[in-house]
């Protein structure tokens, strides 16, 4: 009887463990309409009718990938090429502290460009690397984004703002380049808190480099800052 009860308890525990196991992460692939030797993640040109789930089935746009339900640990590989503006990562796209959702660009050049706001981020625990954002009025709008990490990000020739913080909290930039026409870092309300920039270059051709308070930008370390006026 004891052994039977013990086996029953083991079976219940195993069943409970199986029921609570987190789903496996999903890997997505994006490529522009050109495929060549500079591509590092994909083997075909992108098309939004593709599944986006294999290197030879890449999506064409970030928006098409984001129609899927994203989960912690998911990875989105964005291959070498040029992509448009108006991209929005909504507040339903959330990783966790130990398992962020990653957006990984190519070291050969993944560029988002166009007019208006190029990329808006509203999620939490997201990680971005090797992405270039060029032109537009605002390069990156952090709209209530929290606990996001950006590494090897390049913000180039953005007319008004490189990064626009709107109630954004505890986001970090490392080893990045901000080379804008307008303000590199701009606070919307002054209620933003705990954001940080480390080991980066911040430069404005025509405007104030930083328009944020010490509360909005709690840490700036190992950076080079150049421009007509460094702070306001």
């Amino acid at each position: 009887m004891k052994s039977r009860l013990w086996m029953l308890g083991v079976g219940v525990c195993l069943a409970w463990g199986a029921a609570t196991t987190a789903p496996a992460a999903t890997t997505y692939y994006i490529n522009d309409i050109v495929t060549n030797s500079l591509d590092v993640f994909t083997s075909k040109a992108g098309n939004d009718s593709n599944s986006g789930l294999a290197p030879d089935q890449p999506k064409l746009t970030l928006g098409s990938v984001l129609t899927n339900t994203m989960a912690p640990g998911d990875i989105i590989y964005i291959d070498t090429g040029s992509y448009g503006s108006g991209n929005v990562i909504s507040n339903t796209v959330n990783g966790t502290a130990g398992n962020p959702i990653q957006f990984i660009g190519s070291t050969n050049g993944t560029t988002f460009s166009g007019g208006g706001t190029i990329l808006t981020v509203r999620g939490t625990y997201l990680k971005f690397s090797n992405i270039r954002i060029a032109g537009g009025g605002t390069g990156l709008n952090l709209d209530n984004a929290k606990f996001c990490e950006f590494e090897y990000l390049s913000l180039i020739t953005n007319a008004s703002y490189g990064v626009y913080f709107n109630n954004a909290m505890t986001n970090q930039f490392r080893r990045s380049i901000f080379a804008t026409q307008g303000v590199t870092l701009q606070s919307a309300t002054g209620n933003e808190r705990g954001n940080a920039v480390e080991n980066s270059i911040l430069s404005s051709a025509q405007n104030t480099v930083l328009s944020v308070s010490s509360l909005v930008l709690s840490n700036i370390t190992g950076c080079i800052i150049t421009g007509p006026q460094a702070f306001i």
Side-chain angles (χ1 to χ4, degrees):
M1 176 65 75
K2 285 184 179 180
S3 62
R4 189 174 300 173
L5 290 174
W6 180 83
M7 291 299 295
L8 178 61
V10 170
V12 170
C13 289
L14 289 173
W16 180 84
T20 57
T21 300
T26 303
T27 300
Y28 298 92
Y29 298 87
I30 300 172
N31 195 15
D32 65 357
I33 59 173
V34 176
T35 180
N36 55 39
S37 61
L38 294 177
D39 289 332
V40 295
F41 305 127
T42 62
S43 57
K44 299 289 185 180
N47 190 314
D48 280 344
S49 65
N50 291 339
S51 68
L53 297 174
D56 63 351
Q57 285 288 309
K59 293 284 191 180
L60 177 63
T61 63
L62 179 59
S64 183
V65 167
L66 294 175
T67 61
N68 296 282
T69 300
M70 310 304 292
D74 285 354
I75 300 175
I76 300 93
Y77 287 112
I78 311 170
D79 218 337
T80 308
S82 299
Y83 304 89
S85 63
N87 302 280
V88 178
I89 300 174
S90 77
N91 59 6
T92 63
V93 181
N94 300 297
T96 61
N99 207 15
I101 296 173
Q102 297 187 64
F103 298 80
I104 301 175
S106 163
T107 53
N108 288 331
T110 295
T111 301
F112 289 88
S113 63
T117 299
I118 308 295
L119 175 63
T120 297
V121 176
R122 296 180 175 136
T124 60
Y125 292 109
L126 310 178
K127 188 172 183 178
F128 300 79
S129 59
N130 296 314
I131 290 176
R132 185 175 187 264
I133 300 175
T138 298
L140 173 62
N141 176 22
L142 295 182
D143 183 10
N144 287 280
K146 297 176 178 64
F147 303 106
C148 295
E149 297 181 33
F150 300 84
E151 191 166 27
Y152 300 110
L153 177 75
S154 296
L155 289 144
I156 309 295
T157 65
N158 317 112
S160 298
Y161 312 113
V163 180
Y164 190 75
F165 295 95
N166 184 18
N167 293 312
M169 310 284 185
T170 322
N171 301 287
Q172 296 183 339
F173 296 85
R174 299 187 184 94
R175 290 174 281 276
S176 294
I177 296 173
F178 306 79
T180 64
Q181 295 295 314
V183 178
T184 61
L185 305 178
Q186 173 72 44
S187 170
T189 67
N191 294 323
E192 301 76 20
R193 294 289 183 273
N195 302 287
V197 181
E198 300 175 2
N199 303 315
S200 298
I201 298 172
L202 300 96
S203 174
S204 173
Q206 302 174 1
N207 215 319
T208 302
V209 180
L210 301 174
S211 183
V212 292
S213 72
S214 59
L215 294 175
V216 174
L217 192 63
S218 62
N219 185 37
I220 182 164
T221 305
C223 294
I224 297 172
I225 301 173
T226 66
Q229 183 176 341
F231 300 91
I232 189 170

